[in-house]
Amino acid sequence: MERVLGPTEQVFYKVRQQRPFNVVITARLSGGVSEARVREALPAIQRRHPLLRANISPQSPPRFSRSNVPEIPLQVVPRESADSWLAQVQQQINAPFDASRGPLARFVLVQGDSHSELICGYDHLIGDALSGCFVLRDLLKAMEPGSNGPPPPLQDRPAYEDLIGPPLPGTGVLNTVVSRGSSVLMRASPVLNRLSARLDSTPETPAQEVRSGFAYRRVEPARTERLLTLCRENQSSLHGLLGAALLVARTESLAPRKKPVITITSALDARERFGVGEDFGLYTTGKTHLMRLRAQEELWELSRRLRAPLVAARKQPLHLRTFRSAIEMSSRSVDIAAQPWMQRCTRLGLDSMLGLSNLGRLSLDARYGDLTLEGVSFSGSVASHFDIVLAAATFAQHLDISFLYNPPLMAPELAERIASRTLEVLTEAAR
């Protein structure tokens, strides 16, 4: 594989140069998992998925390469308690990858006698969250006694913008305007940073020093099923309900003097539209809502209000082309978005920026020989403009939720309170 990074990959490439931008998927297993068993299976996984054999050549523009990429590394740590894996996830979301050397993925085995966690961390540039679920599934299949390994290697895929097709008319002109405007603003940024600092005394943390925070919650099977049933009865979705609960929790944490203005950005799976199946790669789009809670708005009404535009976006071919055009323009303004003055200006107009990524009910097998997959959780680094991101996955009747937050914008204590309040709202809805 030797191809230029697509627009979304180029955006992520610039973001990851400022701070780690990773995805971490954790498989919770019962049964004996030896280090040798995992190591023997890893090469088959790397052969199957092309992007796990890739590094990035820092040309202009940068491109994927397969020049002297080492094997995927595995770290083994003892499982000293049922929560030992949480510290490992915290490390993985904040540990950068050497893109020029590769590979852009790694594994951690939190090893216990009868229960273990297998953690897959990778650079967000090469894969969405579902990608990690498929890789862990393939690894578990390759670890089965007598297994011939995972299915055969998958084909190389182009950047998914090529699967979308051409951008909207006029995108090229807008790209030129954005590029020129960004160049001017970058030259003016030192002055704008000083001026904006006088208006906002909050100290800025350099982007390269920012590390994402992580809080974890789990909803038991009975309540998970109850929530799914209520979503159907109320003509909503779990995605919409999770977003509504997070929005309520975040709004309550803000100053009560006014109705806060909040954006919530949802990640949308586009694999079916692209026909890429279970390939490892970036196959998601996004949809952003500008939200204010209405007076005495009922939770299910808010949930439906969040869900409706997402359903429409999935059905509209124009959504993908619009998304491609937006990504192409944003690739030319990433450096500006990271400037302190731009972040201060953004916060003047918005009280909070939230993210929501729900993988839904994962269609993975539970049994892999003598191993049982008991749960799957999803976490990762949070982009610099978000205060907090809710990342969810449902498997084995459990709903696992991670709350990813930016310490410069949100204290750990506040993130924990928001996580707990979100779960309280869901519990109240399930009664």
Side-chain angles (χ1 to χ4, degrees), residues 389-411:
V389 175
L390 187 157
T394 304
F395 180 76
Q397 288 76 53
H398 283 95
L399 172 60
D400 289 274
I401 306 176
S402 296
F403 295 85
L404 317 169
Y405 61 93
N406 263 317
L409 302 178
M410 179 172 290

Side-chain angles (χ1 to χ4, degrees), residues 371-391:
L371 301 178
T372 299
L373 180 60
E374 295 186 338
V376 178
S377 64
F378 154 41
S379 55
S381 314
V382 56
S384 61
H385 56 286
F386 288 120
D387 299 344
I388 191 164
V389 175
L390 187 157

